[in-house]
Amino acid sequence: MHTLRVVACLALTATVVGCGGSSVDIYDYSGTVTYKGQPITYGQIEFVPDAEGGNTGPKGYAEIVDGKYDTGTAPGKGVTGGPYLALITAYEKRPEQVEDETVEVEPVTTYFIGYEMKQDLPKDDADNVDFAVPEEAEGVNRYEGEDPRRRRANEP
């Protein structure tokens, strides 16, 4: 009888997991990100669904390296398309990576954190979704004064 219960539980688990797939199409985007007319040396771009625009799709993200990003490369994640907020963070250079957390590293200048730009993304893969961040972004910190544990749903 115990074996029968185990087999039944495994079958139920397989059914639930198998039915959990999503039929939502996810698209990959790539392009350039500039600031003051120059490629951003290093940063991140996050795509947050624009709820005001009626989008409830998933968030996406990508690293910006030498002014280029691609949600199809690791680390990255595509999105469903439609109205999104692009939250862009830019640094003077890539922060130094160290294994030993006790080692001091040189601080990196941050130009802005989470600068918001609205974008209606195509519902297809696209390799020319470019962003020109305006000079007014300098010094912006979307999360300044916020406890990051208290952000609203769908915010990075």
Side-chain angles (χ1 to χ4, degrees), residues 72-133:
T73 61
K77 182 180 173 193
V79 296
T80 58
Y84 271 84
L85 304 176
L87 305 180
I88 302 170
T89 299
Y91 302 97
E92 175 185 34
K93 63 181 183 176
R94 185 181 199 128
E96 192 176 333
Q97 303 292 317
V98 294
E99 295 290 323
D100 183 355
E101 293 179 8
T102 63
V103 174
E104 286 191 42
V105 294
E106 181 181 333
V108 175
T109 300
T110 304
Y111 294 123
F112 46 86
I113 299 171
Y115 183 76
E116 182 181 304
M117 298 181 77
K118 289 188 177 208
Q119 181 72 30
D120 195 16
L121 297 171
K123 294 192 179 206
D124 198 1
D125 293 332
D127 61 3
N128 59 349
V129 181
D130 301 330
F131 295 88
V133 180

Side-chain angles (χ1 to χ4, degrees), residues 43-83:
Q44 293 86 33
I45 185 166
E46 299 174 75
F47 295 100
V48 178
D50 185 355
E52 290 179 8
N55 192 346
T56 59
K59 286 193 304 184
Y61 55 88
E63 278 186 315
I64 301 168
V65 178
D66 296 328
K68 297 180 181 178
Y69 77 93
D70 186 345
T71 64
T73 61
K77 182 180 173 193
V79 296
T80 58

